[in-house]
Amino acid sequence: MKYTEKISNKLNELLVKNYDAEKGYMNAAENVESPTLKIFFERRATERSEFAKQLRTEILRYGEEPKDSGSFKGTVHRNWMSLKSLLSSNDEEAILEEAIKGEEASLKEYKDILKDKTLPPSIDSMLFKQKNAIQSAINTEKVHEELVS
């Protein structure tokens, strides 16, 4: 496998995660009553959409093909969030718990990819900023979770 294809494959993994997160956050925004949480989830969805655009741009820059949709695992997670919100009567704490789980999985993937010391500096910098934004979202979600419990 050539170098550019290897990088693009890694970026595609993150791209799919960001598609999943964007859809998950939109789903969460639709299933909460709190205006504050609704706005928070909508902002996270927009942020993840922006991450996806940045990743797509880098993949195209390397002459590779970006993936077009989320993963099966992400679809299952979103469906679980939908089911859980229905069963728990839009329990905001349960929705926040699921959002935290999803973000922690994303954070792990970012950390794993950032261990690769062969990434070009521009990609490394972009991924580092995205990773920090995800960590910040987790911290904020944990604060919200404490407030609604």
Side-chain angles (χ1 to χ4, degrees):
M1 179 183 311
K2 60 185 181 174
Y3 176 72
T4 57
E5 188 179 351
K6 180 180 169 196
I7 290 175
S8 294
N9 286 343
K10 289 181 179 197
L11 295 180
N12 259 317
E13 289 174 25
L14 292 180
L15 179 62
V16 168
K17 271 279 190 214
N18 279 288
Y19 289 147
D20 291 341
E22 178 186 5
K23 292 171 189 167
Y25 274 130
M26 289 307 294
N27 187 4
E30 293 168 7
N31 287 294
V32 295
E33 305 236 347
S34 163
T36 303
L37 276 181
K38 193 174 288 290
I39 290 168
F40 173 77
F41 287 141
E42 288 170 350
R43 285 184 180 154
R44 295 294 68 76
T46 300
E47 176 183 70
R48 289 315 199 84
S49 175
E50 184 57 37
F51 289 177
K53 286 178 194 164
Q54 293 169 2
L55 290 162
R56 283 180 60 82
T57 298
E58 289 300 321
I59 293 165
L60 289 167
R61 185 173 292 155
Y62 279 88
E64 300 295 331
E65 192 66 32
K67 294 196 176 171
D68 288 331
S69 64
S71 67
F72 173 73
K73 192 174 176 183
T75 301
V76 169
H77 183 76
R78 282 191 306 281
N79 289 340
W80 170 242
M81 281 185 75
S82 296
L83 178 62
K84 196 167 190 175
S85 67
L86 288 172
L87 295 175
S88 58
S89 303
N90 295 340
D91 179 353
E92 291 176 345
E93 185 177 6
I95 292 171
L96 279 162
E97 284 174 16
E98 288 304 306
I100 291 168
K101 281 182 193 173
E103 288 295 54
E104 286 175 342
S106 289
L107 189 61
K108 182 184 179 324
E109 284 202 32
Y110 271 85
K111 286 179 177 179
D112 288 347
I113 289 172
L114 283 165
K115 287 178 187 172
D116 182 347
K117 300 301 177 197
T118 64
L119 292 173
S122 61
I123 291 177
D124 190 68
S125 174
M126 175 191 68
L127 296 180
F128 188 75
K129 287 176 187 170
Q130 290 180 0
K131 177 192 74 78
N132 287 344
I134 292 167
Q135 182 63 63
S136 177
I138 291 170
N139 296 344
T140 304
E141 287 163 356
K142 287 181 177 178
V143 169
H144 283 299
E145 186 180 30
E146 289 296 316
L147 295 174
V148 299
S149 59

